[in-house]
Amino acid sequence: MALLDISNVESGYGDVQILWGVSLKLEEGRLTTLVGANGSGKTTLMRAVMGLLPVPRGVVAYAGRNVTRVSPHAKADMGLVMIPEGRQLFTDLTVRENLEMGATPRHARGEMNKNLERVFDLFPRLKERVNQVAGTLSGGEQQMLAIARGLMAKPRVLMFDEPSLGLSPLLTLNLFQVIRALKQTGITMLLVEQNVQMALAVSDYAYVMAHGKIEIEGAAKQVREMESVRKAYLGV
């Protein structure tokens, strides 16, 4: 059974429907990537899964439970966490305060100090800047902080929305090294990422979305070799 099972989900913004019967599964312990052109519905899907958008039709099941209409706060308490596009940090708070805000789920509060050490091991730069105001960090450091804050919630499922957006090639490479390291811990992840080549290279399974629907799915290595994917997203 998939840890997160999205079945025939429809959603959108007001009267504008974006998703048309999207189905996607996250197998426990695996890294799944979702790719597609801008405007294909990737972010809308993540927002719908988290409860930030209404889902009039379809089901979101987490650990065998229907959570379609469960609040975002309750989903975070259950271990379902999204790192949003644009970071959305508390820019007037320090690095430490942002990390502490990430540990709000009940199951994470008691292990906050232990989790702080874990994220500092992953991101030693943040430990150096622990008392610095988040808004004064570089773009790359702010992305590190956004990921670290998500990890402070002790997620069972961690979803990334365009984590490399705006990062330099070197910082993007560092980011994917972190994602590889997280994969080794057995956490279940969904990666929405503009760098399709790198996303497919690190993932176990892949979905390709277009016009609010899943058009292609399969093992990431197989999807990467498909001629239509290579031409559309890899430039070859």
Side-chain angles (χ1 to χ4, degrees), residues 2 21 32 38 58 64 67 79-80 83 103 192 205 221:
T32 301
N38 288 339
V67 297
L80 187 59
I83 298 171
V192 169
Y205 202 82
K221 184 176 181 180

Side-chain angles (χ1 to χ4, degrees), residues 27-177:
E27 300 294 338
E28 189 162 12
R30 297 213 295 178
L31 171 55
T32 301
T33 196
L34 175 64
V35 301
N38 288 339
S40 61
K42 305 183 301 296
T43 295
T44 302
L45 177 62
M46 299 184 89
R47 290 175 62 83
V49 168
M50 285 303 302
L52 298 168
L53 288 174
V55 179
R57 283 173 293 278
V59 174
V60 177
Y62 171 66
R65 173 185 171 186
N66 186 339
V67 297
T68 310
R69 290 168 182 82
V70 172
S71 71
H73 175 77
K75 285 176 179 173
D77 266 342
M78 295 165 63
L80 187 59
V81 173
M82 181 176 77
I83 298 171
E85 179 184 350
R87 300 156 193 151
Q88 298 183 23
L89 299 172
F90 299 99
T91 54
D92 293 332
L93 300 182
T94 66
V95 168
R96 178 182 290 277
E97 288 167 337
N98 269 272
L99 293 173
E100 290 173 349
M101 291 291 286
T104 53
R106 285 169 294 182
H107 66 275
R109 292 172 200 159
E111 297 187 34
M112 187 168 63
N113 290 334
K114 184 187 296 185
N115 290 331
L116 273 173
E117 290 306 313
R118 288 173 181 162
V119 299
F120 287 152
D121 285 343
L122 271 176
F123 302 106
R125 184 73 61 86
L126 295 182
K127 188 171 186 177
E128 296 171 5
R129 286 157 171 67
V130 67
N131 295 315
Q132 187 169 327
V133 174
T136 65
L137 299 174
S138 70
E141 291 165 346
Q142 288 189 17
Q143 187 60 67
M144 292 178 197
L145 180 55
I147 295 172
R149 184 182 61 184
L151 292 171
M152 288 296 295
K154 285 200 69 182
R156 193 173 173 192
V157 172
L158 184 61
M159 302 189 295
F160 298 87
D161 191 7
E162 303 283 10
S164 78
L165 191 66
L167 299 186
S168 69
L170 178 59
L171 288 174
T172 297
L173 184 61
N174 292 340
L175 169 69
F176 274 89
Q177 289 173 340

